[in-house]
Amino acid sequence: LNMRILFVCTGNISRSAMAELMAPHIFKDPSLQFASAGTRGLHDHAISNEAGTLLRHDGIDQAAIDAFRSRRISPAIARESDLILCFEHAQRSDIATENPLKARRTFLMTDFANLCELCARNGWLEGADFTARVESAIANVGLARPELPQAQDIDDPQGQGMEAFITAHNELVRMLK
């Protein structure tokens, strides 16, 4: 049983692109499929130079970096996804509004990481594999919500210089782990 995880940012050339290419190196699970898109995604654009530099530093294959092309989220892309992870409140809101059936499977990265951590700490994660544990976290969101800290955006580094990219990258790695 495959789980399709979609990362969504604004332009799909930095944050979500990094997430799509980094996630398989963190989650070495062939049942997981990772993709990305942008709420205002540029069509068929290469990954940003700064993101590419950081991914090379992480040991991501240059061919994968070169092959990446951005895309804009559509109802079909959202429908195909089992879990949608966004970087900003506005992105989550846009997706939930345009795809109401996916609202309960759409989270901010920071919120989902906090949810998983809380569920693990309280013994609420069930299942032998990643997909089952993710499903149990989603099932427990109502129970967990009052205990979760306020979800934080992972700011868009585009046009903000390499330091902003490093900050976004490091936050992303922490959330994925």
Side-chain angles (χ1 to χ4, degrees):
L1 184 68
N2 285 346
M3 174 166 263
R4 296 162 306 215
I5 300 171
L6 179 69
F7 298 102
V8 178
C9 69
T10 305
N12 191 216
I13 60 169
S14 298
R15 295 169 291 176
S16 60
M18 284 193 290
E20 176 183 341
L21 294 175
M22 286 169 48
H25 293 270
I26 292 173
F27 301 101
K28 296 178 185 334
D29 183 337
S31 73
L32 302 178
Q33 298 173 344
F34 301 102
S36 65
T39 54
R40 287 156 187 68
L42 304 165
H43 177 68
D44 204 35
H45 199 281
I47 199 167
S48 69
N49 290 331
E50 297 91 341
T53 297
L54 292 170
L55 290 171
R56 278 190 298 281
H57 180 74
D58 289 336
I60 306 298
D61 184 57
Q62 184 65 48
I65 296 168
D66 291 343
F68 179 85
R69 288 294 173 263
S70 63
R71 64 187 182 156
R72 184 173 290 210
I73 191 167
S74 66
I77 291 170
R79 227 182 356 264
E80 294 165 1
S81 304
D82 299 307
L83 177 64
I84 301 173
L85 298 173
C86 305
F87 290 81
E88 297 175 21
H89 284 85
Q91 295 153 357
R92 189 204 175 281
S93 179
D94 288 350
I95 292 167
T97 300
E98 293 169 22
N99 308 278
L101 296 177
K102 287 297 175 177
R104 65 178 283 279
R105 295 183 155 276
T106 304
F107 296 86
L108 258 72
M109 290 276 303
T110 57
D111 198 35
F112 195 71
N114 289 334
L115 171 65
C116 292
E117 201 172 79
L118 178 69
C119 287
R121 195 168 53 242
N122 290 336
W124 299 340
L125 290 182
E126 297 174 1
D129 62 14
F130 183 88
T131 299
R133 289 191 301 275
V134 166
E135 292 297 338
S136 72
I138 292 169
N140 281 299
V141 74
L143 183 63
R145 182 62 60 205
E147 295 183 48
L148 291 175
Q150 182 66 41
Q152 301 297 311
D153 289 348
I154 297 177
D155 294 329
D156 189 353
Q158 205 56 43
Q160 305 298 315
M162 194 56 161
E163 277 303 311
F165 274 87
I166 292 169
T167 298
H169 168 273
N170 292 348
E171 186 70 10
L172 170 61
V173 170
R174 193 162 58 254
M175 294 304 111
L176 289 172
K177 288 186 174 178

